[in-house]
Amino acid sequence: MTQTARQKERDKKPQDKTSESGAPDPDLAQRRAADPGASVWVGASAGSGKTKVLTDRVLRLLLPREDGKPGTLPQRILCLTFTKAGASEMAMRLNRRLSAWAVMKDEDLAA
């Protein structure tokens, strides 16, 4: 997929997909916000998934890019939260996911 095609796919509005109730799909909005190719500001109420979006975004930054280039070095990522509790929760989620990936079989990682 070319950069332009990726940008067009990324730029689709969350309203392009809706839930059965006709409301915008929150999972789609979260996936768009987690895209490391997009510049985003995440602001929402408690329990809405901000920490998940930020965690997913950091993980996607670490992974190899679609063009085959390596992911971002961890020391080059700056991720800000407003509370120590939020930062701690995000660090725990990142460590948990990376630890699971480190011991996972290659076949399972590729799936």
Side-chain angles (χ1 to χ4, degrees):
M1 188 179 290
T2 66
Q3 181 66 21
T4 304
R6 274 196 300 272
Q7 286 174 330
K8 286 180 182 177
E9 182 67 26
R10 186 176 61 227
D11 292 341
K12 285 184 179 177
K13 304 268 188 262
Q15 295 85 355
D16 291 347
K17 289 190 179 179
T18 58
S19 64
E20 290 179 12
S21 68
D25 180 356
D27 290 335
L28 178 60
Q30 287 181 344
R31 283 194 305 275
R32 287 183 67 222
D35 179 357
S39 178
V40 298
W41 173 269
V42 179
S45 59
S48 60
K50 293 182 300 293
T51 301
K52 180 189 182 320
V53 168
L54 291 172
T55 301
D56 289 350
R57 189 173 174 90
V58 169
L59 288 168
R60 288 182 68 182
L61 283 166
L62 294 169
L63 292 172
R65 297 184 341 195
E66 291 177 7
D67 60 7
K69 292 182 180 175
T72 303
L73 295 172
Q75 61 268 28
R76 305 245 339 144
I77 298 172
L78 173 65
C79 188
L80 303 174
T81 66
F82 288 106
T83 66
K84 288 181 184 179
S88 176
E89 178 64 26
M90 190 165 36
M92 287 185 350
R93 290 183 191 189
L94 286 166
N95 286 325
R96 194 176 313 129
R97 180 75 63 88
L98 292 171
S99 296
W101 287 350
V103 296
M104 196 177 286
K105 293 179 182 178
D106 288 344
E107 310 84 58
D108 296 335
L109 269 175

